[in-house]
Structure formats: structure tokens, C-alpha cells
Amino acid sequence: MAKIPKSMRLTGCSVRQNAQVTANATLDRAAPGAARGEVAEGVGLRKVALLGLVAISALVVAAGRAATPVGVVLERSFGGLLAPSSRGGTFSAVAVVISLAVLLACWWRVLRLALQRRVSLRSVGWTGATWLMPVLFAPPLLSLDAYAYLAQGTMLATGLDPYSGGPVLLGDDPAAARVDPMWRASPVPYGPFTLLLLRAVALTHGNLAIGVLLLRGIALLGVVAAVGAALRLAPTPRRPHVLALCLLNPITLVHLIGGAHIDAVLAGVVGLSLLALRRNRPWLAWLLASIAVAVKITAAPLLLFVLVVLWHQRRGWPRLVLAATGLAALPYLASLAAVSRPWGFLPALLVPGSVAPWYAPATIAGNVLVGAGRLLALPVEPSAARLAGRLVVLLLGGLVVIALVRAEWADWAGHGPARGRATVQRASTALLVVSLCLPAIYGWYLAAGLFGLAAVGTPAWSAAIVALSSALTFSSLPPLYAASRWPLVVAWGVALTVLGLTYKHVGRPVGRAGDLATMPEREPIAMGHLRYLRLAQAAGLGLIVPVTVGLLSPGASAGVASEQTQSERARVVKQLTREYPRLQLGSVLPATDFGAPYRVELVRPGEQTCDLVLGPGIGPRVRFPRLPEDPIERRVRAMDERPCPLPVLPVEDPVSSAP
């Protein structure tokens, strides 16, 4: 009989049990991402993957049948998946809320399995591919931005400058009618490299489905680059968790890829720049960072971190300045093929913040200042207080970025090269801080810093990503102003119940009883990460609740107008369209900053546009008296006189046109 080794002579354990423990421990050391419990990976992950597939499929169907804002004209397309509701869209809104909650719960579940190292990198990848399939050929999900991209590409194709005006300059082109009237007259706030991509998409010659699929293909390439860079930056044992944190994230699947947002391109270029920086290729990192800034200027902090590396590796500062300037100018020179003024996006940077969600820190700070002024009985103008709040938040964010750059400089100056996890983590943190300090915050704004922090961030940063992604998953929803309120309340109740039960389930063991106890060398890591995951889910729930209340409240300012406001705006649109049949109505926005009910933008297609601010004495429920015959040729005092975004024809007699 063979002699039993000492390692297997344990009191209370059979030889077979100890052999199984030894084999499992060897398997874990050989393949950290492999699953020990076949039940947890084989059955548990399959169930979660199937449930997530059902949830995202239901989301695709429901989002395509959502109601559209007043003034948006969308035709049926995508094989019937895009069929906007002509009514309130209550059923669609309810289905979207519940589907998002179930998908979010499935993501939490996969994260837990990945933290316990019970799923392999391949199984997580297959789950992500399964969830991605319904999204690839769907209409844009939960956002109209893709239609704005197509309209801006059409402007470039027809010789119009998107930096000078919005898609309203296209006149009666169907591409302009698909854009939300809130942004129809707004210039493009993105960099020139974005316009270069949109000009390429315009080669579809107005085909809606093909144009959206091309945009989604570009977004998919950006996500693939970002995820690939994150996996390269992450240690091998953490890669299943990093892949689950990045690819299966609802922000990635629903908003970046499903919504075909240009921020996916930003995420990909930033990820490749960080990877080049980690591999000691600072000039390549500088070029990629310059391209990222030419996509969206919020990536500018990345240039500072690359510049620190270049400065400490310089061979003379004149050569550094010339080379850095030349490489930084390349994206702008390349974009000359699409736009004649690559710097034209600078005046339009305030456009995204013109309608700020109430939950954004900048909006909260402004409202706090307004409340403090009223409490102290100070003569504070609300618009000025809100602007001050935005400036305070931007200043705080700038101080954080400066502190991170100084820490990077200190590492290079005092301890040698700082390339590695610390550099990538600081740069990604700076990008995330900038996105959170903007006046408007939506889920896809996290893309710039999300993937880098997921790769090299601490467990606390991973928890922050989970919490922010969970809350901002609901930052963009179908229009709710015409939907029935009580079905929405029930839907949010169901959604929060699903997420609450999933949160409660996190602390329970997966698979058979005692599975963690048999792996003492893995228990501290797994349980520590699980505690952070529980904190992240609790924080996510805590953030979702106020967002829910804000979206359901009658006076919410998160881009959701009340039914009364929409009906009044529709009445304004109807009358102005009847009064000016030859002019295109750019937008009808609340003009609270000017002490008037509405601010109207009228455009003569292809020529010029003019702002009209409806006077305080004119109510939206009655017919406007003495509207000018031609507001383009004669600037009107009937409304408070304001300069127009584009040059107008000379005014010969501005007084005679006043009512």
C-alpha cells in the first residue's frame, strides 16, 4: 500500500477530500481566472447570461417604441424595431425602466462571480458577446444624439459649417427633423476629428439605418480598443473582473454602443494613449492624447500627464516644444478635409450645459447658492447664482487635476520614472473628475476615465465605478412627460426591489456550501473585494433613488418637461409655423434667464438665423399679437432685441417694426 503523504494526514478529513482540495488549489494557481465550482460557472453564469439577454432584448424593443419629444419626426425603420409611439409611451417607459434594472442586477451578479474567481476570461467574454448581439442592429437606444451626428454629417456633405449653426440650416431635410428641437439650432461642441468621422458617415447619402449602423460600428471599434487596452493594463488574475467591469457595464452596452455615442471613440483613443504611456512610448501617447482632445476637449488633462513624462525624458526643450506642437497639430490638419475652421468648436463648448440635469454637482452647487441667498434675504439673481455654482465646481475639479499632476511630477523628480499603475490611475482619475464637474452629466460621460480606472484602480475605485455606472444607467430615458404617472411609480418600485434583492444576495456563498472556506489563501482577497462591491451597490441604490424621485417629480429639470409645458410649447410651434411658412423653426426653449416665456430661433434655410425672445407680456396660451412679417430681414423689438448667432441682413428701420 502506498504511503500517505504528510500533507494529506489531516484529522477529520479523508484522503479523497484532501486530494480534491490539493487539486483545486493547484488549478487556481495554474489558471487564476478558471472556476473551481462547476456549478457556479456552468449553471450560474448561464442563467445570468440568459436573463441579461432577455433584459437587453426587451430594452431594444421597448426603446424603439418610445415616445419622441415634440417636434421630432422619426420614420419607421430597422425592420420595425424603430416605431415611435404616437401616444404617451407609458408601456415603453415602464418596460425600459424594468429592463435596465434587470440588466443592472445581472451585471452585479457577474461582477460577484468574477471577484470570487469563479468565471474565466473566456466565459465573461462570451457573456458580453451574447448581451451585445441584440444591440448591434438596433436603433439608437435612449438618446437622439446619433440622429444629431447624422444631421451634422449631412451639413458637412452639403458644404455647411456645423460650428456656425445647427442642423436647422438644412431646412426641410429629414435629417434635421430627427434632431431634438432643443439642440436643432445649436452648433457642434465636439472637436474637429469628430467632424472628420461624421463626414465619412455622411457617405451613406441620408440612409437612416446604414448611417446609424456605421456610427455604431465606429463606437464598437472605440469600445474594443478601450477594453483591449484595459485588459493589457490589468494584471492577469484580475482580467475576468476587469472585463466584466468594462464590457458588461450597462454604460458600455446601452449608452456607448447602443446609443452610438462619440464618447466611445474618446474612450478608445484614451485607452490606447494610456497603454502607450505604460509601455514607455510617450510620443505615441502624446499623439493619441492629441487625437482624443480633437475628439472632445474634456480629454485635455491627459496631455498634462504625458507632458510630464516627455519633459523628464527631453533632450533639449526647443526640440520638445517643436515636436510636441507638430504632433498635436496633426489631428487638426487632418480635419481640414472636413471643416475649414478646426478651432470653431470653442465657442460652442457651453452648448451641452445649457440644459443641466438636477443631479449634476454643478447644478446642486448652484441651487445651494440660490437657496442660501433666499434664506439670507440677499438680492441674488438665480441665473447668476447657478453660474457661480458651476464655476465653483469647475474650480474644485481643476484643483484636483492640478494636485494629481503635481503628484506625478513629484514621483518623476524624487523617485525616478513614475510609469506604471500610478500614472495610469492618476490620469484616469483626472479624466473622471473632469467629467463629473461638467454642468451636464450623463452615463456616457464616464467613458474617458472608466476603462483606465477599471484596469489599474484600487478596489475603492472599482466600487466607485460600479456606483456611478449603476446610477447613471438611468440618466437617459424615453420622454416621460406624457406617460401615466402611476405605472411609472410601480415600474420604479419593481426596479428598486430587483436591485435591492440582488444587493442582499451579494453576501451569500456561490455554489455549494463552504466553497470559500476550502480556499483560505483566496478568502481575504475575495471577501475584501466583496465588501467593496456591497458598498458600491449600496451607493448605487442610494443614488438611483433621488434620480428616480427627480424624474417622477412634476418640476424635474433633468431634461424631462411636464405635460403642460410641452402642450404650451406645441401651441407656440403651431402658431409660429403658420405665421412663417417659409422659415424653419429652429427651437423653442424656455427663456427664464431673460424674464420672458420662450426664446425662439427662426431660420431661413441655408442663409441665416435669428433669435426672438418672446416678451413678458405675451402669454403662450394666446395668439401672439403683431408678429413681424419677416423677422429675418428686420430685427424685432416686439421681442426683447438680442444679437443673432449668425449675421442677419442690415436693419434699415428697426423702430418701425416694433409693435
Side-chain angles (χ1 to χ4, degrees):
M1 181 176 179
K3 187 176 181 180
I4 300 175
K6 291 183 179 181
S7 61
M8 301 177 67
R9 299 176 189 172
L10 299 177
T11 305
C13 291
S14 65
V15 173
R16 181 178 179 182
Q17 290 172 331
N18 283 277
Q20 182 67 32
V21 171
T22 304
N24 288 331
T26 304
L27 175 63
D28 281 345
R29 287 192 295 269
R36 174 189 172 272
E38 296 295 334
V39 174
E41 180 176 7
V43 179
L45 186 59
R46 285 189 203 137
K47 291 181 178 179
V48 175
L50 180 60
L51 184 59
L53 176 62
V54 172
I56 203 165
S57 300
L59 175 66
V60 167
V61 175
R65 284 159 172 75
T68 56
V70 175
V72 174
V73 180
L74 290 177
E75 62 270 24
R76 293 177 63 93
S77 185
F78 293 89
L81 286 177
L82 180 59
S85 173
S86 58
R87 300 182 181 180
T90 301
F91 175 79
S92 171
V94 167
V96 165
V97 169
I98 296 177
S99 299
L100 284 176
V102 174
L103 181 63
L104 187 59
C106 292
W107 179 51
W108 286 359
R109 176 66 171 166
V110 177
L111 283 176
R112 179 170 177 256
L113 293 174
L115 285 175
Q116 293 178 328
R117 300 185 187 179
R118 299 196 171 279
V119 289
S120 64
L121 185 65
R122 177 178 296 181
S123 61
V124 175
W126 276 111
T127 302
T130 302
W131 290 3
L132 187 60
M133 289 305 295
V135 176
L136 290 179
F137 303 100
L141 299 181
L142 307 183
S143 173
L144 300 178
D145 285 5
Y147 303 120
Y149 298 154
L150 294 178
Q152 290 152 5
T154 304
M155 292 179 65
L156 291 168
T158 55
L160 296 173
D161 184 7
Y163 289 151
S164 298
V168 68
L169 296 177
L170 292 171
D172 57 355
D173 192 300
R178 301 185 192 113
V179 182
D180 191 330
M182 186 172 295
W183 314 112
R184 196 174 287 171
S186 301
V188 179
Y190 301 117
F193 195 82
T194 300
L195 295 188
L196 190 63
L197 297 176
L198 298 183
R199 178 65 181 87
V201 174
L203 297 176
T204 57
H205 302 292
N207 189 297
L208 176 61
I210 296 179
V212 170
L213 293 180
L214 280 179
L215 285 174
R216 182 164 290 125
I218 293 174
L220 182 61
L221 288 177
V223 168
V224 169
V227 172
L231 292 178
R232 292 281 186 174
L233 291 168
T236 302
R238 291 192 63 243
R239 287 181 178 176
H241 174 241
V242 171
L243 185 60
L245 196 60
C246 295
L247 181 58
L248 272 62
N249 194 326
I251 297 296
T252 302
L253 291 173
V254 177
H255 294 301
L256 289 180
I257 300 177
H261 284 283
I262 206 67
D263 296 77
V265 178
L266 178 67
V269 180
V270 167
L272 294 176
S273 178
L274 293 175
L275 183 61
L277 193 62
R278 177 75 180 271
R279 295 189 172 184
N280 195 21
R281 296 179 180 177
W283 285 111
L284 178 59
W286 176 264
L287 175 60
L288 291 169
S290 301
I291 294 175
V293 175
V295 172
K296 198 172 182 180
I297 199 172
T298 52
L302 180 59
L303 290 174
L304 299 178
F305 290 90
V306 183
L307 191 60
V308 171
V309 179
L310 291 174
W311 180 264
H312 285 88
Q313 292 185 351
R314 72 188 186 280
R315 298 178 181 177
W317 67 267
R319 176 183 296 182
L320 171 64
V321 172
L322 290 176
T325 304
L327 286 178
L330 284 180
Y332 297 88
L333 294 176
S335 63
L336 287 174
V339 59
S340 59
R341 298 185 304 124
W343 59 89
F345 67 96
L346 294 175
L349 291 179
L350 297 178
V351 168
S354 58
V355 179
W358 74 269
Y359 53 79
T363 306
I364 295 174
N367 291 334
V368 168
L369 293 179
V370 172
R374 292 175 178 174
L375 184 64
L376 299 175
L378 298 176
V380 178
E381 180 68 26
S383 59
R386 294 188 178 97
L387 177 60
R390 293 184 179 186
L391 294 178
V392 168
V393 172
L394 285 175
L395 177 62
L396 292 177
L399 292 177
V400 173
V401 172
I402 292 173
L404 291 170
V405 174
R406 288 189 62 184
E408 183 71 13
W409 182 277
D411 276 355
W412 275 90
H415 307 289
R419 293 185 305 274
R421 294 171 59 89
T423 301
V424 176
Q425 182 177 337
R426 290 182 187 124
S428 301
T429 302
L431 293 173
L432 185 64
V433 168
V434 169
S435 65
L436 294 178
C437 292
L438 296 176
I441 299 179
Y442 299 100
W444 51 92
Y445 283 17
L446 302 178
L450 185 151
F451 296 90
L453 283 178
V456 299
T458 62
W461 271 120
S462 297
I465 291 174
V466 174
L468 289 172
S469 300
S470 301
L472 294 179
T473 294
F474 298 92
S475 61
S476 182
L477 293 172
L480 304 179
Y481 54 81
S484 301
R485 188 166 303 277
W486 284 111
L488 284 174
V489 172
V490 173
W492 280 108
V494 172
L496 294 176
T497 301
V498 169
L499 295 175
L501 292 176
T502 305
Y503 165 75
K504 184 179 180 181
H505 187 70
V506 167
R508 299 179 182 176
V510 181
R512 296 175 181 176
D515 52 0
L516 284 178
T518 59
M519 288 293 167
E521 77 279 4
R522 193 172 61 186
E523 181 178 358
I525 299 177
M527 295 308 295
H529 279 76
L530 283 176
R531 281 193 290 270
Y532 276 108
L533 181 59
R534 286 180 63 83
L535 290 175
Q537 292 174 341
L541 279 172
L543 292 173
I544 289 172
V545 171
V547 170
T548 303
V549 174
L551 290 176
L552 292 178
S553 62
S557 59
V560 181
S562 65
E563 182 176 1
Q564 180 181 3
T565 302
Q566 288 296 323
S567 62
E568 291 177 351
R569 190 178 302 178
R571 190 176 292 107
V572 173
V573 171
K574 183 177 180 180
Q575 180 181 344
L576 292 179
T577 303
R578 184 176 62 251
E579 295 282 348
Y580 306 114
R582 294 180 299 170
L583 301 179
Q584 178 77 15
L585 188 63
S587 62
V588 179
L589 302 176
T592 53
D593 292 342
F594 310 107
Y598 291 102
R599 172 184 172 184
V600 180
E601 290 177 299
L602 295 172
V603 178
R604 175 171 293 153
E607 296 182 19
Q608 51 261 322
T609 180
C610 186
D611 284 353
L612 303 177
V613 179
L614 306 187
I618 304 176
R621 298 178 182 275
V622 298
R623 190 173 186 277
F624 301 117
R626 299 192 62 183
L627 285 171
E629 295 182 2
D630 194 341
I632 295 295
E633 294 194 8
R634 292 178 179 270
R635 191 177 304 173
V636 185
R637 273 185 187 239
M639 333 288 174
D640 296 340
E641 183 177 349
R642 291 181 50 77
C644 297
L646 294 179
V648 298
L649 297 178
V651 180
E652 297 179 358
D653 188 9
V655 179
S656 62
S657 61

